Amino acid sequence: MMRYKYLFLLCAVVAVSTGLVAFKKAKPRLLVFSKTAGFRHDCIPVAKVAMLKLGAENGYEVDTTEDASLFTAKNLARYKAVVFLNTTGDVLNDDQQSALEGYIRKGGGYAGVHAATDTEYDWPWYNQLVGAYFLSHPHQQTATLNVVDRNHPATAHLEPTWVRKDEWYNFKSIVPGLNVLIKIDESSYEGGKNDGNHPMSWYREFDGGRTFYTELGHTKESYSEPAFLKHILGGINYAAGKKK
């Protein structure tokens, strides 16, 4: 009889433990999208690995994909934020575009990295989402970045100036009202064409959701650079609505 009593208690403990696992809060999910229909950055493979590692270390489940068919209302509802990681060209069809619009309008988050501004030129809503379109770039070189807002999760770890090497975009169709985080000092490098008022990273609330963009992230080396990765993480945290 005593043996059955202990067996009963053991089963009860196992049942409680199983229940606790079952009710454990799921981690927020990120969809990292890197489809290209134009220029393809050779950093994309290492960038994907970096996003997976960043997620694992900071409480996110990360799905990486180049499959645009995942852009449905039902599937996007699973994610706290969508990251356009060096996408280029026309990557979503009309139905997929509508799904992303609906996702943002329901409070979803968007983070764009580098060539995300070299994407979807014929979709005006996307221009508003990402904040600007790519115009041109000079050769890769070292330049000075001025961190004009250090009160945001993407920039709180940075000093007022940040000197680094990357590929520096010039922009067109810059959306009014962006909350600019970082500007580039056009006197510190060759080829700047935004008349000295040259944003490199920004955020804002848009159409019911949250958007973040950083121009940084062309080079493979960026994705092993702690300051850059922390910059990306802060932007993703903002887009995902993660509290400090």
Side-chain angles (χ1 to χ4, degrees):
M1 193 71 179
M2 205 65 164
R3 183 177 62 181
Y4 291 121
K5 182 177 180 181
Y6 287 131
L7 183 59
F8 174 80
L9 289 172
L10 179 60
C11 290
V13 170
V14 170
V16 170
S17 299
T18 304
L20 288 174
V21 171
F23 285 102
K24 186 178 180 181
K25 189 175 180 180
K27 293 181 180 179
R29 302 187 75 89
L30 303 174
L31 181 63
V32 175
F33 183 55
S34 53
K35 180 180 177 180
T36 55
F39 180 82
R40 186 169 181 84
H41 285 71
D42 64 3
C43 68
I44 287 176
V46 295
K48 286 182 180 180
V49 172
M51 293 301 101
L52 289 166
K53 185 171 184 288
L54 202 64
E57 292 173 349
N58 293 280
Y60 290 106
E61 294 285 352
V62 177
D63 296 329
T64 63
T65 189
E66 300 194 1
D67 182 2
S69 71
L70 296 181
F71 282 73
T72 65
K74 182 178 180 180
N75 190 55
L76 290 178
R78 303 168 57 218
Y79 297 98
K80 286 292 187 181
V82 175
V83 181
F84 274 44
L85 180 64
N86 279 316
T87 53
T88 57
D90 186 2
V91 292
L92 300 177
N93 66 26
D94 290 348
D95 290 341
Q96 294 155 1
Q97 290 177 3
S98 294
L100 182 58
E101 290 178 9
Y103 167 75
I104 294 296
R105 287 168 184 154
K106 291 179 180 177
Y110 167 90
V113 178
H114 192 58
T117 47
D118 188 21
T119 303
E120 296 290 354
Y121 290 96
D122 297 323
W123 182 15
W125 184 88
Y126 183 80
N127 185 193
Q128 295 291 316
L129 181 74
V130 71
Y133 279 136
F134 166 78
L135 173 64
S136 63
H137 66 77
H139 65 277
Q140 294 175 39
Q141 57 195 295
T142 299
T144 298
L145 301 171
N146 293 319
V147 183
V148 298
D149 181 353
R150 298 171 66 206
N151 295 312
H152 188 275
T155 51
H157 65 292
L158 297 172
E159 297 298 322
T161 57
W162 188 11
V163 179
R164 67 188 301 277
K165 183 179 180 179
D166 214 317
E167 180 181 79
W168 307 116
Y169 282 2
N170 298 305
F171 294 109
K172 62 182 180 179
S173 302
I174 299 175
V175 173
L178 299 176
N179 299 303
V180 176
L181 295 168
I182 298 174
K183 294 182 179 182
I184 194 166
D185 180 355
E186 289 192 344
S187 70
S188 70
Y189 73 109
E190 298 177 351
K193 294 184 178 180
N194 282 108
D195 298 323
N197 186 19
H198 195 151
M200 285 280 112
S201 180
W202 53 78
Y203 73 98
R204 72 172 181 145
E205 294 184 0
F206 167 67
D207 210 7
R210 297 160 306 280
T211 75
F212 165 81
Y213 171 77
T214 182
E215 187 280 339
L216 287 60
H218 173 88
T219 66
K220 292 179 181 178
E221 292 78 12
S222 295
Y223 297 92
S224 58
E225 181 186 342
F228 170 73
L229 292 173
K230 200 166 183 179
H231 172 57
I232 291 287
L233 176 63
I236 289 172
N237 283 344
Y238 166 77
K242 191 171 183 179
K243 304 299 183 183
K244 292 183 180 180

